[in-house]
Amino acid sequence: MKSGLKGSVGVVALLLAGGGGVFGQEEDPAPKIEEAVVAAHNRQREKHCAPPVIWSEEVATVARAWIESLAGECSARPAHSYDFGSNTAWHSDAFDFTADEIVDSWFAEIENYDFDDPGFNARAGHFTQVVWAGTNET
């Protein structure tokens, strides 16, 4: 049964693509990447009275499949073929980013959001995905 957008595929996909840590960190990060992704989202969601998200292995599985499909494309195309919303973050080996830094960069699009005319707009799409009240899993 489809119930709308369930999660944020992009952050999961790109974080998991690094092999268990945030963008390729070899050591076991503390907190676990799953906890860091959830905490980063919930910290921003709380500012907008959006209910907290939880970690979803289903979303993570979809994200892994999606990121594997991107391998070699030099692309971070959105995951429109899934029943999930998605945010993407581009990464190179020269930079490591934390879950907080990634989610904060998406949240920064709040400056492009028109609270007087709410709804989706492309310049604030990442922001709306992070705080969308209907998103319940990441």
Side-chain angles (χ1 to χ4, degrees), residues 68-124:
E68 287 172 10
S69 77
L70 295 178
E73 286 187 21
C74 293
S75 169
R77 64 179 156 74
H80 294 299
S81 61
Y82 300 106
D83 292 330
F84 303 97
S86 67
N87 280 345
T88 56
W90 196 250
H91 161 266
S92 88
D93 290 336
F95 301 99
D96 284 332
F97 298 99
T98 66
D100 280 332
E101 290 169 327
I102 294 166
V103 174
D104 289 352
S105 74
W106 294 331
F107 187 84
E109 290 182 5
I110 190 172
E111 67 185 48
N112 300 320
Y113 190 77
D114 185 352
F115 286 92
D116 294 325
D117 185 21
F120 177 79
N121 81 61
R123 295 184 58 214

Side-chain angles (χ1 to χ4, degrees), residues 3 6-8 10 15 27-28 34 38-39 42 50 58 73 76 83-85 87-88 93 106 113 117 123 125 137:
S3 61
K6 285 182 65 177
S8 180
L15 291 173
E27 67 278 357
D28 186 30
E34 295 90 344
V38 168
N42 288 337
E58 177 188 4
E73 286 187 21
D83 292 330
F84 303 97
N87 280 345
T88 56
D93 290 336
W106 294 331
Y113 190 77
D117 185 21
R123 295 184 58 214
E137 297 176 340

Side-chain angles (χ1 to χ4, degrees), residues 19-39:
V22 177
F23 292 126
Q25 292 176 351
E26 295 295 325
E27 67 278 357
D28 186 30
K32 288 183 168 182
I33 189 60
E34 295 90 344
E35 294 168 0
V37 168
V38 168

Side-chain angles (χ1 to χ4, degrees), residues 33-43 53-56 99 138:
I33 189 60
E34 295 90 344
E35 294 168 0
V37 168
V38 168
H41 276 81
N42 288 337
R43 184 173 44 82
V53 294
I54 60 171
W55 182 259
S56 166
T138 194

